[in-house]
Structures are given as structure tokens and as C-alpha cells.
Amino acid sequence: MGLASLPLMVVMHELDASWLAWVWILLTCLVWPHLAYRLAMRSSDPFKAELRNFIVDSAFAGSWVPMLQFNLLPSAVLLTVVFADKINTGVRGLWVWSLPGMLLALVVGAWLNDFAFQPESGLWITLSCLPILVIHTLAVSASSSRLVRRVQLQNRKLEELSRVDTLTGLYSRGHWESLAASVLQDRAAAADSTLMVLDVDRFKEINDEHGHSIGDDVLRGIADLVRRNLPTGSHAGRLGGDEFAAVMPFPLVEAESAAERIRAAVHQLQFASASALRCTVSIGIAGAPDAGSDLRSWTEAADRALYRAKQTGRNRAAVA
């Protein structure tokens, strides 16, 4: 609004305008912005108050055009900047809401000024338009850039949330499945890979006896042990509830050793808030899939081994 006063004052000087025009410029360009800010900050709904302020801005801009006697360059610049401000807010339809007040002010102002019309723009008028053109454009660009960076950051956070299970820190089911599927697509990698499915024994009883907070501690503790006992290149995720899965980049014999380390570590796991609690896991292991197998059939093979481990006493690993 302050930058808009520059072309207005230059044109008023060339037109030898009355003191009323200068007072109007002072009020609308320099006093009004500060008043509008205070009105918004003191409002019970600052957002709606600021929308009203934007509409008033447009009415003021409409009143400036007949004061300029429709001088082409400053009129076009000021109206364009006003519309750009409305669009830059991101509020749908705000520029449309601003049109009636702007047009009314323009018509009334033209009538009061006897519809004077001098569209020619001299050198000084052109120069006076440069600050608002340059500074306003850069300010809007900087604001838009900040918003874009903020959206990009939020998108990265959302992507991270979609990739990681927030409770355990392992991969979420969807992301784990995509990683496991990519291993299957690489026949060389799949031939040397093993799938492990792990389930907490009697997890419902742990929740019922010790509470869900302790149950969450159990899941976090087991997830940490899984993460620490798997070699680099493994993909571990939480399938849901108390079930975990991991694709390990080594053959069946080595996978059995890793599964046994995890099983033994879980059996030794202790919890400060439930010192008497001991938990165990059952593990199902499926070796390298046959050619043409999909993730579902590979997982089902490991699940069948897991159920056999459950049926034969729990706290053990079984191979498909």
C-alpha cells in the first residue's frame, strides 16, 4: 500500500491535484494498513477480519484509478497488484468478492472527478511504478517460495510417516511389502534371500494382565532386538498388531541362526515397569522362493512355519 503511493503522488503532482486528493492518498496508502492490522489483531476472528481488509484494499484501489484520470500504466499496475494479492492468499474466490467494492469505488470516483481521462504516462510516472512492480513481485515470490518449501517439508514428513511404523520404528506394512516385492523382482537377490515372520506369544494375555502401555513396551523392545540382530541389507517391518516380518539377504542356514539370536534375546528381555514379565516369540522361516513366486505365496509359506512353531510349544523357530 505504501509503494502504491509513489505513482499516485507523481500523477497528483503533475495534475496539480487538490489537498483532498493528497489527504486521501495519505489515509489509504499509509494510515489504513496500520489500522487494518490493528483491527485484525483485535478481532475475535482475525482471519475473517483480514479478508474484510483485503476487500477494503480493493475498494481503495478502485478509487485511485479515477484520481489518476485513468493514467494507463499506474492504473494497470495498481489494479494488477491488488488482484495478485487476492490470488496469492490462496482463498478461493476472494478476488471475485473484491470486485463489487472496487467497481463501485471506481464509478463513484470517476463521477466525482467528472470522468476525467488522461491515459498518457510520462517518464516520471513510469519510474514511479518501478518500485511496486519490482519489490511487490519479489515479495510475493519470496512468500510463495517459503510456502513451497514448507509444503515440501511436510510432504517429506508425511512420506516418512507412511514408511515407518510410529510405535516400533520399523518399516510400515505397506513400505515393507514394497521392499520385499522389489527383492522378489531381482531374481539374483531373491535366490539368496530368506523371509522371517515373527509373532509375540500370548500377546493378548500380556495386554490383559499388564495393560496396553506395557504391551507397547514389549513391541518396541522386540522391534529393537529385531533391528539389532539383522544384518545390513535386511528389511524389517511390522505387519500389524504383534506380528513382524523381515527379508534377510542370506540363505536359510544363516537366517536360522539370526532367528535363534532374536528368539533368545527376546526371552531375556526385561521391563522396568513389569519386572516379572517375560515374553517369547514364535518364528516362521521360508527360504528362497521358487521362480515365479509372489510375495503372498512367500509370506504364506513363512506363516505356515510360524503356526507350526506355535502348535509345537511356542518360543521356537520353524522352517517352511
Side-chain angles (χ1 to χ4, degrees), residues 217-288:
D217 290 340
V218 169
L219 295 178
R220 279 190 287 264
I222 292 174
D224 183 58
L225 292 175
V226 169
R227 189 185 300 106
R228 285 193 280 144
N229 284 279
L230 291 179
T232 302
S234 299
H235 304 306
R238 182 186 180 193
L239 297 185
D242 59 334
E243 190 172 17
F244 303 88
V247 174
M248 296 172 281
F250 42 66
L252 187 60
V253 175
E254 295 179 50
E256 288 184 83
S257 297
E260 179 57 28
R261 288 196 303 272
I262 293 171
R263 185 205 63 77
V266 170
H267 191 54
Q268 299 298 319
L269 196 59
Q270 296 183 0
F271 305 93
S273 51
S275 57
L277 174 61
R278 293 293 181 272
C279 56
T280 61
V281 293
S282 297
I283 301 174
I285 306 170

